[in-house]
Amino acid sequence: MGQAYIDLAPLLIDRKEEFKVDLEDPHVAEDLGYLLLDLTLVPKTSDEKEEYLAKRNRLVETQRSMKAQIWSSVVSLVLIEGKGLLPMDDNGLSDPYCKFRLGNEKYKSKVAAKTLNPRWLEQFDLHMYDDQTSVLEISVWDKDVGSKDDFMGRCQVDLSELKREETHHIEKELEDGAGSVSFLLTITGSAGNETITDLANYMPDPRERLEVQRRFSLLRSLRNLNDVGLLQVKVIKATGLLAADFGGKSDPFCVLELTNARLQTQTIYKTLNPEWGKVFTFQVKDIHSILEVSCYDEDRNKSAEFLGKVAIPLLRIKNGERKAFFLKDKKLRRRTKGSIVLEMEVIYNSIKASWRTFNPKEVKYLQMEQKFKRQVLVRNLQRVSRLVMAVVNTGRFVKSCFEWESKTRSITAFIMYVLMVWNFELYMLPLVLLSIFFKYYIVRSVMEGRTDQQEVRTDEEAEEEEQDEDEDDEERGKEKSKSFKEKLQAIQDVCQTVQNGLDEVASLGESVKNAFNWTVPFLSWLAVITLAIATVVLYFIPLRYLVLVWGINKFTKKLRNPNAIPNNELLDFLSRVPSDEELIEYKELKSEETQQLSP
């Protein structure tokens, strides 16, 4: 019915430990169940105890030195979705989930209820060994309660045919036309290959660098518009990480994510101060992407434990600067233990980057799902309220001019109104927006040093809110029963929809504000140049010709490019401008100990 093996070497004497072991059969792919065991190691005599301890110490030291080489690569898989799966239930639907098998390692995804087009959005790490198969087996099953799960289809991926250290978007058809599954797959964490290099062996090639600079020079701006730039990240080391294992140590490894590209380092065992010394290279498709660097603890039960992360916008990178970044929690709100030392360099083409800004933003498949929380809903309401109050205050100002509350202000406004209406031309509209940009540019230059304190207060308030909310969640979790939660689920779904809708409205308004505030100088200068060009065009070309060209472009776009994605250039531009919440997430933590490190 199945078998399992347990390594007794890690057991401590006279200490009961619980083990959950999955039953396996090399000839059967289906789930055979599991056993829960309590194991206690008890030597018969004191001599046997001493002999065991001596052998165990030697064994642990041997395993510790060899453990770093037991796997050759890590297969990082992001399961996205399935399409056109077979209906297995009486209602014409299915409850599908996926199983993955690489050698003796197996994983199972969550169940997507009542659908033939499931969207899972889950990430798994599997390990490749030199002496095992490199064929990844993927099977799709229908979950049945009270009976055996139904097999729906399978497919295979030969990992030896895929390029390493590169994220592949794969859509694989299941056997016998049973639908398809879509996933991102990256083979990474190798000890040595073409695109990840040991820092100790890394020697910059001046000719290669010159070729990269030539590749992204302004003279080649019209070649391959999607190839915006190149990012090189040197992961030097981390210090003072969180202790996740018994004995006050961790087995840390580092994961780097640039939108959907995902690479990782090797694991350094039994340390809180790992030195990875790796050089990674990413292709940059959007200069407004965010580099996320996360540290995890590798555990023997296969579930990596989170240690900390940082989010770094590419436009904030200072080329060649080696510095320490303090780690944050998963929500990028509060500081956690430890820091990581990175050295980064990004080379990009400004023309390609500007053109890409007015095109749809690449969707990141693996994102933290935003759940309903009372404090988040209140915070979003406050964000929207601030935007509404800004509009209301503007209306009050205009009304005060009409009611002559201040004679000087009303006379000035009246004269300006008459002059503008009498001399109004369409090209003056971009000029008005340009004047607003330059006004806030001057204000920003004057007030640049006075904003840090306010940002710190905002961070502290957000941290207190998150902490209070977490405490509230724990209290409510103890008080609520399962049935009560089910009754509230419908209400929570509605509240979550309202919460997310408020977040979208507030983020859009904050993006408009931050564009004018020069929060991201690249985007603000891009807007200024675009408005200046629009002013010149409107001055020399009649409006009817511009509307005619715009309409012809929109009507024929689908004919010229059937795969074109409908988009709004203004909204695509604003999607690159960070909201106030994102600015808090991207803010670099500083303290008296923060210092720039010499290369």
Side-chain angles (χ1 to χ4, degrees):
M1 295 175 66
Q3 61 184 9
Y5 296 90
I6 301 176
D7 183 11
L8 301 181
L11 290 178
L12 300 178
I13 291 179
D14 295 326
R15 177 183 295 182
K16 182 171 70 174
E17 292 194 35
E18 182 180 287
F19 281 81
K20 177 183 177 181
V21 292
D22 293 320
L23 297 176
E24 298 179 350
D25 186 335
H27 305 294
V28 179
E30 66 184 34
D31 188 4
L32 299 177
Y34 63 89
L35 297 175
L36 276 178
L37 307 173
D38 283 337
L39 299 185
T40 306
L41 188 67
V42 183
K44 293 181 179 180
T45 64
S46 58
D47 293 338
E48 287 185 356
K49 182 176 181 179
E50 294 178 0
E51 182 182 358
Y52 168 79
L53 290 176
K55 289 182 177 180
R56 184 180 185 277
N57 289 336
R58 290 196 298 270
L59 180 61
V60 169
E61 290 299 323
T62 304
Q63 289 181 340
R64 190 175 299 172
S65 62
M66 295 179 62
K67 198 173 182 182
Q69 290 126 20
I70 59 175
W71 49 263
S72 59
S73 303
V74 175
V75 180
S76 176
L77 188 145
V78 177
L79 179 62
I80 302 173
E81 62 184 356
K83 293 181 180 179
L85 301 183
L86 297 177
M88 307 299 291
D89 298 336
D90 294 336
N91 58 6
L93 300 173
S94 296
D95 303 312
Y97 66 91
C98 279
K99 288 184 179 181
F100 308 97
R101 186 185 184 109
L102 181 61
N104 294 324
E105 196 170 10
K106 296 187 293 184
Y107 279 103
K108 184 168 70 174
S109 75
K110 62 185 179 183
V111 178
K114 295 181 175 60
T115 179
L116 300 181
N117 300 288
R119 192 167 178 83
W120 291 288
L121 296 179
E122 287 187 88
Q123 190 268 329
F124 306 91
D125 285 336
L126 301 97
H127 297 84
M128 287 183 65
Y129 299 84
D130 291 332
D131 57 347
Q132 291 187 2
T133 179
S134 61
V135 176
L136 173 66
E137 299 177 7
I138 303 174
S139 58
V140 183
W141 298 77
D142 171 56
K143 181 68 175 179
D144 285 334
V145 179
S147 62
K148 187 177 179 181
D149 294 347
D150 297 323
F151 175 76
M152 300 177 67
R154 67 160 53 93
C155 63
Q156 294 183 341
V157 180
D158 189 352
L159 302 180
S160 63
E161 298 177 355
L162 299 179
K163 186 177 180 181
R164 297 185 175 227
E165 305 303 335
E166 182 177 308
T167 301
H168 307 272
H169 189 170
I170 301 173
E171 185 166 349
K172 201 76 173 175
E173 295 289 335
L174 300 178
E175 294 177 356
D176 302 325
S180 64
V181 289
S182 177
F183 51 91
L184 301 174
L185 194 147
T186 310
I187 304 175
T188 184
S190 308
N193 46 56
E194 296 179 359
T195 55
I196 172 173
T197 314
D198 285 318
L199 189 60
N201 302 326
Y202 177 71
M203 293 293 294
D205 187 350
R207 290 179 297 179
E208 182 179 346
R209 179 180 176 81
L210 187 63
E211 178 59 32
V212 171
Q213 291 177 338
R214 188 182 298 113
R215 173 181 163 191
F216 298 110
S217 65
L218 295 178
L219 296 177
R220 299 191 176 185
S221 298
L222 300 180
R223 298 183 182 180
N224 193 3
L225 292 174
N226 291 322
D227 188 17
V228 173
L230 205 66
L231 170 66
Q232 184 184 81
V233 184
K234 297 178 182 178
V235 183
I236 313 298
K237 62 180 180 179
T239 56
L241 294 179
L242 188 70
D245 297 337
F246 293 111
K249 299 293 183 180
S250 293
D251 302 324
F253 64 93
C254 181
V255 175
L256 292 84
E257 296 177 273
L258 188 67
T259 313
N260 290 314
R262 191 176 191 272
L263 303 176
Q264 78 176 57
T265 68
Q266 77 282 17
T267 303
I268 306 296
Y269 292 93
K270 305 300 179 185
T271 180
L272 300 180
N273 303 291
E275 295 188 8
W276 291 292
K278 295 293 181 181
V279 183
F280 296 89
T281 303
F282 292 90
Q283 180 187 5
V284 177
K285 301 177 183 177
D286 190 344
I287 196 60
H288 309 291
S289 299
I290 308 299
L291 174 67
E292 295 182 2
V293 182
S294 307
C295 293
Y296 294 91
D297 169 63
E298 183 183 297
D299 213 340
R300 68 179 182 181
N301 63 4
K302 302 179 183 177
S303 60
E305 185 172 346
F306 177 82
L307 300 178
K309 76 185 292 188
V310 292
I312 307 169
L314 298 188
L315 286 171
R316 293 189 185 179
I317 292 176
K318 296 180 180 179
N319 288 348
E321 180 184 47
R322 181 175 296 188
K323 64 186 302 185
F325 295 87
F326 288 103
L327 297 175
K328 298 182 181 181
D329 61 5
K330 283 186 178 181
K331 297 180 180 178
L332 294 169
R333 288 278 182 177
R334 287 176 283 183
R335 180 177 171 182
T336 186
K337 288 192 65 177
S339 62
I340 186 167
V341 180
L342 305 172
E343 181 181 330
M344 295 167 285
E345 182 178 20
V346 57
I347 301 174
Y348 65 97
N349 183 290
S350 301
I351 304 297
K352 292 182 181 180
S354 302
W355 177 85
R356 187 72 181 83
T357 303
F358 294 102
N359 284 270
K361 189 176 182 180
E362 183 180 0
V363 178
K364 184 175 181 179
Y365 293 112
L366 195 62
Q367 298 188 77
M368 185 183 297
E369 183 180 357
Q370 182 65 271
K371 298 181 179 179
F372 170 71
K373 287 191 175 181
R374 179 178 55 84
Q375 284 290 20
V376 176
L377 178 61
V378 172
R379 187 166 67 238
N380 290 344
L381 281 171
Q382 293 173 346
R383 293 165 63 197
V384 174
S385 299
R386 285 195 292 267
L387 296 175
V388 172
M389 287 306 300
V391 177
V392 171
N393 290 334
T394 303
R396 288 175 180 172
F397 176 81
V398 174
K399 184 179 179 181
S400 68
C401 294
F402 292 151
E403 295 182 355
W404 293 80
E405 294 179 4
S406 171
K407 292 184 179 180
T408 305
R409 182 170 59 197
S410 296
I411 291 172
T412 305
F414 177 70
I415 294 173
M416 290 181 62
Y417 172 76
V418 172
L419 290 175
M420 288 177 61
V421 173
W422 185 258
N423 298 286
F424 177 77
E425 296 289 346
L426 193 59
Y427 68 85
M428 294 181 181
L429 283 177
L431 282 177
V432 174
L433 295 176
L434 280 173
S435 65
I436 299 175
F437 270 104
F438 285 119
K439 171 198 169 184
Y440 281 104
Y441 180 78
I442 296 172
V443 171
R444 178 177 178 271
S445 301
V446 174
M447 302 293 292
E448 194 168 16
R450 306 180 189 178
T451 57
D452 292 340
Q453 188 175 0
Q454 183 177 2
E455 289 181 358
V456 171
R457 284 200 300 269
T458 304
D459 287 349
E460 291 175 352
E461 292 172 359
E463 290 176 9
E464 291 175 1
E465 290 176 354
E466 292 290 335
Q467 191 171 1
D468 293 341
E469 177 64 17
D470 292 339
E471 292 174 359
D472 292 343
D473 284 346
E474 291 177 3
E475 293 175 2
R476 287 198 299 268
K478 295 176 181 177
E479 297 172 359
K480 290 180 181 179
S481 65
K482 185 176 180 181
S483 60
F484 188 58
K485 285 184 178 180
E486 291 174 352
K487 293 178 181 179
L488 287 178
Q489 188 61 47
I491 300 176
Q492 288 185 356
D493 290 342
V494 173
C495 292
Q496 182 175 347
T497 303
V498 174
Q499 170 187 293
N500 295 341
L502 290 173
D503 177 65
E504 291 179 7
V505 173
S507 297
L508 182 61
E510 290 167 355
S511 295
V512 174
K513 179 198 70 172
N514 292 332
F516 283 107
N517 283 346
W518 295 79
T519 303
V520 183
F522 179 92
L523 290 170
S524 297
W525 278 117
L526 179 59
V528 166
I529 294 172
T530 303
L531 289 172
I533 295 173
T535 302
V536 175
V537 171
L538 288 172
Y539 183 82
F540 287 104
I541 302 177
L543 179 62
R544 66 173 64 90
Y545 295 140
L546 298 177
V547 175
L548 183 63
V549 171
W550 176 85
I552 292 173
N553 174 61
K554 287 294 183 182
F555 274 106
T556 61
K557 186 174 184 179
K558 206 67 177 178
L559 298 176
R560 290 182 280 112
N561 185 6
N563 297 323
I565 302 174
N567 69 305
N568 183 297
E569 287 77 9
L570 178 59
L571 292 179
D572 289 335
F573 172 84
L574 291 176
S575 68
R576 268 56 173 215
V577 183
S579 64
D580 291 349
E581 294 293 302
E582 290 173 326
L583 288 176
I584 295 175
E585 295 175 359
Y586 304 155
K587 184 182 177 184
E588 181 184 338
L589 296 179
K590 297 180 180 180
S591 71
E592 297 177 357
E593 293 83 13
T594 306
Q595 61 180 356
Q596 182 174 325
L597 303 176
S598 58

